[in-house]
Amino acid sequence: MKKLLASHNVGYKIGLLGGAIGLITAIVYTVYSTSVGHFDPVVLGLMVLGVCGSAFAALSDKKSAPLVPAILFSLSFGMYINDRVIMFEEMINKIYGMNERGAILEVVLAILVLQFVSILLCMIACFTSDRK
């Protein structure tokens, strides 16, 4: 494994790191959303496809291959924000009678930050010179 990573440059390693963070995010999302009864299979599916896209990008010789997981992670990011808009609206407007399940702000923000980091790392991996 060490020999494999040593033969590739920084862009390759950044892309793999983006996929690993995406996998961690998918696990955190699954545990959190199923525990509060607010699971969306589309969000999880896009996260898993992003992780698979990261693995594909690691095996591909194409310079633009890391854009595939970046797009998939971006779609899951947008779907998750769309899913949590009501929670943010209730917190901003201090609507306490409509407090929905799963309104744990710290966990939601952690998932959003991890998704954003995955997107950013995959985009950086795409635009580093000479990926392989």
Side-chain angles (χ1 to χ4, degrees):
M1 181 71 172
K2 196 179 225 184
K3 186 193 261 185
L4 177 69
L5 288 176
S7 66
H8 295 293
N9 72 349
V10 176
Y12 178 83
K13 295 170 189 170
I14 289 173
L16 285 180
L17 182 61
I21 292 174
L23 179 63
I24 292 168
T25 307
I27 293 168
V28 170
Y29 171 76
T30 303
V31 170
Y32 165 71
S33 63
T34 55
S35 68
V36 297
H38 206 273
F39 179 74
D40 187 3
V42 174
V43 174
L44 180 65
L46 288 170
M47 285 184 196
V48 171
L49 285 174
V51 172
C52 293
S54 248
F56 169 75
L59 298 173
S60 175
D61 291 335
K62 302 278 185 191
K63 184 174 178 165
S64 62
L67 273 182
V68 173
I71 291 169
L72 291 167
F73 286 139
S74 297
L75 287 171
S76 73
F77 181 78
M79 293 290 290
Y80 188 62
I81 285 179
N82 185 38
D83 192 37
R84 301 287 39 190
V85 162
I86 294 173
M87 181 196 83
F88 290 124
E89 180 265 329
E90 288 176 352
M91 289 182 172
I92 290 170
N93 293 321
K94 296 183 172 59
I95 301 173
Y96 298 111
M98 297 175 61
N99 196 8
E100 70 171 322
R101 296 185 324 196
I104 304 172
L105 183 62
E106 294 82 13
V107 178
V108 171
L109 290 178
I111 291 171
L112 288 173
V113 167
L114 286 172
Q115 285 181 327
F116 184 74
V117 168
S118 294
I119 295 165
L120 192 62
L121 289 175
C122 289
M123 289 172 67
I124 290 170
C126 184
F127 293 109
T128 54
S129 61
D130 191 29
R131 278 191 59 241
K132 292 228 175 188

